[in-house]
Every structure is written in C-alpha cells, then in structure tokens.
Amino acid sequence: MKRVSSNSVPSFRFQVQNLEPGTLNLKSLNLIFVHMNKISFFLLSCIVLLTQCNTHEPVTVKSPDGQVVFNLFSKGGQLYFNASFKGKAVLTDSPLVFYLDGEELTNSVSGKGSQTYSIDEQYFTRGIHRDAVNQCNGISIDFESGKNKIAFAVEARAYNDGIAFRVLVPGENVVRTPDEATGFKLPKGSIVWYHDMYNHYEGIHEQNEITQLKAGEWAAPPITVRLPDGSGYACITEAALLNYAGMALQADGQSGLVTRLGHAQPAGYPFAHDYNLSLAQELSIAATVTGDITTPWRTVIIVSDLNGLVNTDLISNLSPAPDSTLFPEGVDTDWIKPGRSVWCWLDGGERTVEGMKEFSRLAGQLGFEYNTVDAFWYRWTDEQIKDLVDYSAQDGVKIWLWRHGRDLRDPQKRKELFERCRRLGVVGLKLDAFSHESKEFVDLYQACLREAAENQLMLNIHGSNKPTGEVRSWPNEMTREGIRGLEYGRNQYEWATHNTTLPFTRLIAGAGDYTPVIFGERKLDTSWAHQIATALIFNSSVVIFAAHPQTILDHPAAEIIKDIPAVWDETIVLPCSEIGEIAAFARRCGNTWFLAVLNGNQERSIQFPLSFLGEGWYEASVITDRPADASAVKKERAFCRKNDSLTGHMRAGGGYVVRFQLKN
C-alpha cells in the first residue's frame, strides 16, 4: 500500500451523484463497471439499496474486511441505524435525530442521491505507535426533510475497527441552530465503563450492565463497552470536533445512551470554580452556526480485544489532516518535539526564578527535555523569563509556562501572550480551566491551537474535554488533561482500580496529562513499581512527571525512569489485561522494549511470554514490588530471548517494569 503524508487526501474517490429514488440510469451503470477494479462489489449494492431509501430497506456500508457492518434505514418515517461485528449486534436499532432551529430534520425524509467512496492510506502518527492505517468504505446519502423541504446529508463510514457517521446541512451565509438527540442502543448484557459530568471530564469510572443505568445518568465519552457473549469491545465517542458543541451522553433507562450537546450538559464543579453563574446561563442556550453545518463524527470503535482497542486509529483517521502551511511535516514538523518534563507543583520545590533554574538543572541531569513552570511566574518580568530560558538551555532544557483560560478569551490578550512567549524563547504553554464543552469553548480551543501554531508553540490543554483527533489535525497539541490524575491524589478511593481502567477508557480517545509518578503519600494504595509503570502506559507526548526531580534522581529505579520515552513505535496489550484489574503493555521505542504492568487491588503473579521481542539477546533490567513495603522496589537483571518468559509477582496496587535492551 502506498505511503502518503499526513497531509494527503484519500487515495481514491468514486462518486455517483443525483441518483433519484427508483432509478438507476445506464450512464451510472457504465461508470460503475468502468471503475469496478477499484471498488468492492458491495458498494454497488449500497447504490441499489439507496434507490429504495423511502422504504424499510437499509443502506449498508461494510468495512474493507467485511466484518463491520453499518445499516441506515427509515422506520415509521424516522431515520435509524444499527451496527454489527462478525454477525453479532454492536448497536441495535438506534434513532438518528438531528434538529435545525428546533425542527427535526431526520423524520419523514426522502432520499435524493448518494456518493460512495473508499479511502486507503497510511500516515505518520504519534503516541501509541508510529504508523497509522486509514482504510474504510463510505457513503454520503442526500436527503430532503419532508416537513420543511430542507436538504441535508448523512455520511457514514465503515472501518475494520469501527463505524462513524455525521450530518451535513448546506447553507451559505445563513445562521441556524443545530441540536441532536441521536441514540446509541446497546445489546442487553453489555458492560459499560463511564463516569458522570460533575467534574467535567475528570471523573472516576463506574462499571455497570447497560440496563442498570438509570434514565438521566450522565456519561462522559469515551464510553467503553464489553459486548455480550465474548463478541468484543466497543467505545463510543466523537471525532473532528470543530465549529460545533461537544457531545456527552445521557442514559435513557432502556439500554440506550442519548447525545447531548454542550449547552445541555451540566456546568460542573470545575466551571463553577473558575467562572460564574451568568456565563453558565449564557452557555446553556444552544449555539448558532453560520453557513454550512457539519457535525463531528459520531464514532463507535469496534474490536475483538483490548489490544485492538488501544491501537485503534479511528479517531485520528476521521480528523482533518494538518494544515501544511503550519505543519509542513505533520507530526514531524521540526519545532514539535515530544519529551519529558519536570514540574514544580505536587512534590515541593521553590517557586521562584532561582528555584526553577534548579529544576532545569536537575531536568538536565535526568535527560529530560522540558521544565513546566506553573502559575507562580505571572509577576515575572520579561528579563526574568528570558534569564530562565537561557539558563535552562545550557542543560538542554526548554521552558513551558502555565496560563489560565480566563486570560485567553480576549483575542488581543491571547495574541500578546503567544507573541511574548515566542519572543522570549518559551516553547510551550499549559493552558488551563476551559471546563465547558459549549461551542464557544470549542471555538476557543481551535483559536488557541491555530494561533499557537502560528507562533510555533506547543500546547498542553488542562481543565479540558476529551480529545477528538487533535493529534492529527493539530500536531502542536502534545497532550491534554480531561482525566483524573495525580492532582486528585489525596482523595480516598481505589487509585489502583482507577489506573487499571484508564488505559481502556479515557486514554482510548487520545493523550492524557495524568502527571504520573509520585513516591510520597499521594500514591495512596499503589506501590513505587506501579507509579513507574504509569509513565510507561499512560499515553502523553509530553510526560510531565509529578515527583520532584531530585526525588527521581535519588530513586533506586532512576536509570529506568530516565530512559522512559514519550512516544512509541509499537504497542502490544498483553492478553492477561482486564479493565479495572490489570493493564499489561509491551512497548517498543527503536530497539528497546519495555514491559509495564499496572496491577489492581488483588495480589497476583503472572508469567509473561517474551514473544514480542525481536531476534537476538536482550539485557533485562527488572523493577518489581517488595511484598512487605509499597515504598520500595527490587531490582534484578537477566538475559532473555523471545522464546523465554518472565514471572512478575505484584502486590495489591503493585506493578512490574522491565526494560529490554538489545545486546547483539
């Protein structure tokens, strides 16, 4: 398959336009047969079915491998959809509901034509693995609303690892108000992992059978589903969120989850803390869109196992390729550099210019690339900031600065901040306290990302919603929060269960700034080995370590921690992994492999076959728990080949870390 850059367009596109219901003219048939060598036969079936779209017959789109099937059909005048995987239901009949200015468009519809296409490309990505594969079959179906004669389209795609659909409403220079109530009906027996919206996207996941969710319960995407009868996993979220409000979901009490846009979502505790009631009231009104309306993709990842779930490219595949003028080499654009950062906030340190110079000096000893300076820099002069930047550069360390979201809503203040940072040599900004998913705040995300890129600044967005494919569209977004991380470390809940849930829930959507690794009281029910493993398993293109850098340098496992990369060439989720119980990853960066395991709240021993290793001998540096002391580790050394295995003994809340270095 031809490799194309991340700025490429789909490798092939075939269109049949203005096909009236009940007709299939000779010209269209000739065109189909001319291109038959490029299009699978099922697309012809899609077109034939489209001629019957005023009946109950579905329009069907199948994945390239034929195992994922998406159906769109009309029932009682209402548009519905369903999806299956290997012949078993993933979504049962679910209503597709879209409103425009308070009127439903997706009821009493008539079909007006279709366009079919396929995509086959690869591009470089960042984080879980290096190479992203984008292969799908798609169809865009033109409709007219029977009540008000408004034209719109539904576009749907089927990938080998999921389905996606969106609504498009043309309208040049007109101002209209969209809303949605699309449902996702899951088969009974489905187990779901979800959290509420009280802390926006920084919640603790619950695990329930879908019929146990009460009507009105909130669920913040991504929502992970274990399908019944061992038929696989699904994950419901959205992609390509721009010029539109974000999507959360609300249970209907009947095995379904219903789309709720940003204005309808509760303004939770973080927003109340950082803003005010009058703004919350303003944002509770549905936002208008000027011109064409394109909803984000409503996405359902569908896979056989947890390895497929973690390695999916579906969200980034559905997101626009980056602007080549801002990112000429996509994720490899020269001023975008993944790395590790020290951070003075959770674990002590002097919050002065001199204190931050010391942090930068220690970061250099660790081999870390960055020092993230939090809010206490606000009163520093340009001369003080430049002094820190220049001092840090002597140790190969660059500076990030924190800024509150309130200071970003004014375009002039935002412009001045970004230009100041670039002028002083600051390379990145940690922007905080967005805390809302209204269109106004989504537009603010986009403005920040674009203007930061224009000033060659990387971003870490905190107090945020979930990622929706920004790693592809905006490669300068290195990570974002939208996750309950160590800043909540004094709360008394099962931290080990939370950490073994996150890799298969929130982190499926994209990078998460959990601020990993702490060795003091904040680690609560976890061990030192567990803490080290979080930095290896939790995906973030800039890993911001919570521990004081001197504490890391003094740690018995310092040499392993120094070697932890920020991005990976390959990731394998090992078969012993279970959501909320154990997360076991094998990850490769260059010729070096790591085995990292997060254990839940039960002591266990597991034998790990090393079949993921390449050929040759590897030196294994092992970090494991001391059974009697969570604040200690054992270090061991071994020589291994791919036909060997290692056994990890883990205490409750423990962990296991092995670095494999190729020796020949």
Side-chain angles (χ1 to χ4, degrees):
M1 182 164 55
K2 181 181 178 182
R3 178 180 298 282
V4 293
S5 75
S6 60
N7 302 321
S8 68
V9 297
S11 59
F12 178 69
R13 191 174 186 92
F14 168 62
Q15 300 180 342
V16 177
Q17 298 177 323
N18 301 320
L19 182 62
E20 295 295 329
T23 68
L24 189 61
N25 58 41
L26 182 60
K27 181 179 178 181
S28 298
L29 284 172
N30 287 336
L31 186 57
I32 291 169
F33 286 113
V34 166
H35 292 281
M36 191 64 73
N37 62 325
K38 293 185 177 180
I39 304 173
S40 59
F41 185 79
F42 85 89
L43 289 174
L44 177 59
S45 302
C46 289
I47 297 168
V48 173
L49 285 170
L50 183 61
T51 69
Q52 305 171 14
C53 65
N54 286 323
T55 73
H56 295 276
E57 294 293 332
V59 174
T60 299
V61 185
K62 294 183 180 179
S63 59
D65 65 6
Q67 295 187 332
V68 174
V69 180
F70 176 87
N71 294 307
L72 180 69
F73 56 97
S74 174
K75 183 167 65 174
Q78 171 69 53
L79 283 181
Y80 281 81
F81 64 96
N82 60 39
S84 62
F85 179 50
K86 297 181 180 179
K88 294 186 177 181
V90 175
L91 297 171
T92 60
D93 293 357
S94 304
L96 197 163
V97 181
F98 180 87
Y99 298 98
L100 193 67
D101 295 330
E103 297 289 337
E104 185 180 348
L105 258 63
T106 47
N107 205 338
S108 302
V109 300
S110 57
K112 296 298 180 182
S114 76
Q115 302 173 13
T116 59
Y117 61 90
S118 62
I119 298 173
D120 187 351
E121 65 171 349
Q122 289 187 14
Y123 57 91
F124 290 133
T125 188
R126 185 183 68 217
I128 299 293
H129 48 235
R130 178 62 171 156
D131 297 305
V133 176
N134 185 9
Q135 292 179 314
C136 73
N137 293 309
I139 188 167
S140 180
I141 309 162
D142 298 323
F143 290 102
E144 183 177 85
S145 175
K147 184 174 181 179
N148 43 30
K149 304 300 181 184
I150 294 176
F152 70 99
V154 175
E155 184 178 6
R157 293 182 184 177
Y159 292 78
N160 291 342
D161 59 354
I163 60 97
F165 60 91
R166 63 181 178 179
V167 175
L168 306 95
V169 189
E172 186 176 356
N173 296 325
V174 294
V175 179
R176 297 164 298 176
T177 304
D179 203 355
E180 298 181 53
T182 291
F184 297 86
K185 294 281 190 179
L186 293 165
K188 291 182 179 179
S190 297
I191 305 298
V192 294
W193 283 265
Y194 64 102
H195 70 76
D196 63 24
M197 301 290 292
Y198 175 74
N199 280 300
H200 197 42
Y201 280 83
E202 299 175 23
I204 296 291
H205 288 83
E206 296 183 52
Q207 175 187 342
N208 268 316
E209 201 272 337
I210 185 60
T211 59
Q212 300 303 306
L213 272 67
K214 298 176 183 177
E217 276 195 78
W218 285 96
I223 295 162
T224 296
V225 183
R226 186 171 67 215
L227 297 165
D229 304 320
S231 54
Y233 293 85
C235 185
I236 303 170
T237 187
E238 64 180 332
L241 172 59
L242 62 156
N243 196 34
Y244 205 81
M247 177 190 80
L249 295 164
Q250 197 171 22
D252 65 4
Q254 299 177 345
S255 300
L257 299 163
V258 181
T259 299
R260 299 286 185 242
L261 299 186
H263 67 274
Q265 298 171 21
Y269 168 75
F271 187 85
H273 179 270
D274 291 305
Y275 297 94
N276 54 60
L277 178 60
S278 62
L279 181 57
Q281 290 172 333
E282 289 177 28
L283 299 179
S284 67
I285 300 170
T288 60
V289 175
T290 301
D292 296 343
I293 297 172
T294 302
T295 74
W297 291 98
R298 300 340 185 176
T299 67
V300 185
I301 299 163
I302 307 169
V303 292
S304 296
D305 55 27
L306 295 177
N307 183 59
L309 189 64
V310 168
N311 277 286
T312 181
D313 293 315
L314 186 66
I315 306 304
S316 59
N317 286 344
L318 290 161
S319 300
D323 184 334
S324 60
T325 60
L326 294 172
F327 308 103
E329 299 299 327
V331 297
D332 294 326
T333 297
D334 59 4
W335 53 270
I336 297 171
K337 302 291 186 184
R340 293 79 46 85
S341 180
V342 296
W343 178 46
C344 176
W345 193 259
L346 289 187
D347 199 26
E350 185 181 332
R351 299 179 181 187
T352 63
V353 174
E354 291 305 312
M356 289 303 93
K357 285 183 177 180
E358 177 66 3
F359 262 54
S360 290
R361 185 183 68 81
L362 296 172
Q365 291 185 23
L366 286 166
F368 287 6
E369 294 81 3
Y370 300 118
N371 178 3
T372 297
V373 181
D374 227 282
F376 49 85
W377 72 272
Y378 267 27
R379 292 187 175 87
W380 294 356
T381 65
D382 283 5
E383 290 74 20
Q384 289 173 306
I385 296 170
K386 189 67 167 65
D387 183 31
L388 174 62
V389 168
D390 292 344
Y391 178 90
S392 302
Q394 299 175 51
D395 292 300
V397 176
K398 297 180 180 180
I399 298 298
W400 289 60
L401 298 177
W402 181 94
R403 198 76 188 190
H404 198 287
R406 285 190 302 263
D407 304 326
L408 304 167
R409 299 181 67 212
D410 183 324
Q412 183 59 34
K413 289 182 179 179
R414 193 166 64 236
K415 180 175 185 292
E416 291 170 358
L417 172 64
F418 292 168
E419 289 179 350
R420 182 189 184 197
C421 287
R422 183 174 188 178
R423 184 177 72 252
L424 296 175
V426 172
V427 299
L429 282 164
K430 178 180 176 181
L431 305 180
D432 206 347
F434 289 72
S435 307
H436 208 286
E437 213 167 19
S438 62
K439 181 178 178 296
E440 178 177 336
F441 274 83
V442 170
D443 290 346
L444 180 59
Y445 284 121
Q446 296 292 308
C448 289
L449 286 160
R450 173 167 292 280
E451 293 165 28
E454 290 169 350
N455 287 279
Q456 297 190 358
L457 293 171
M458 295 176 282
L459 293 185
N460 170 8
I461 302 177
H462 262 230
S464 65
N465 64 345
K466 74 280 189 188
T468 65
E470 288 79 11
V471 67
R472 186 179 191 194
S473 301
W474 299 103
N476 61 323
E477 181 178 305
M478 307 305 286
T479 189
R480 68 168 58 194
E481 196 179 26
I483 190 170
R484 179 164 291 213
L486 280 179
E487 289 182 75
Y488 287 84
R490 291 196 176 102
N491 291 357
Q492 299 296 319
Y493 53 83
E494 289 187 350
W495 206 237
T497 300
H498 178 60
N499 290 349
T500 52
T501 300
L502 287 175
F504 312 113
T505 52
R506 158 61 181 85
L507 290 165
I508 299 305
D513 185 13
Y514 173 97
T515 56
V517 183
I518 201 87
F519 298 119
E521 292 181 359
R522 281 181 177 268
K523 70 179 178 57
L524 296 180
D525 62 331
T526 67
S527 72
W528 278 3
H530 183 108
Q531 286 294 314
I532 297 166
T534 61
L536 286 156
I537 288 180
F538 294 169
N539 175 36
S540 181
S541 294
V542 171
V543 184
I544 301 178
F545 283 77
H548 192 292
Q550 188 63 59
T551 302
I552 299 174
L553 285 165
D554 294 340
H555 196 274
E559 291 306 310
I560 298 293
I561 299 171
K562 288 179 181 181
D563 211 25
I564 295 174
V567 294
W568 301 93
D569 295 318
E570 185 178 357
T571 295
I572 301 170
V573 180
L574 301 181
C576 62
S577 298
E578 292 287 346
I579 302 175
E581 297 180 20
I582 186 165
F585 283 34
R587 312 194 82 167
R588 179 179 63 83
C589 181
N591 289 325
T592 300
W593 281 89
F594 283 85
L595 171 61
V597 186
L598 295 170
N599 190 32
N601 59 15
Q602 293 185 4
E603 180 182 351
R604 70 188 82 215
S605 295
I606 299 177
Q607 188 175 63
F608 298 101
L610 305 182
S611 55
F612 52 82
L613 294 176
E615 297 297 332
W617 283 94
Y618 287 79
E619 182 178 355
S621 301
V622 182
I623 301 296
T624 191
D625 290 324
R626 287 193 178 276
D629 188 357
S631 296
V633 294
K634 290 193 299 182
K635 297 195 298 182
E636 299 172 341
R637 184 166 168 260
F639 290 95
C640 309
R641 290 180 293 182
K642 64 185 301 181
N643 56 340
D644 295 327
S645 62
L646 292 175
T647 300
H649 304 283
M650 291 163 286
R651 57 180 289 129
Y656 185 63
V657 172
V658 188
R659 180 187 63 189
F660 300 91
Q661 293 177 306
L662 184 64
K663 304 310 290 183
N664 61 346

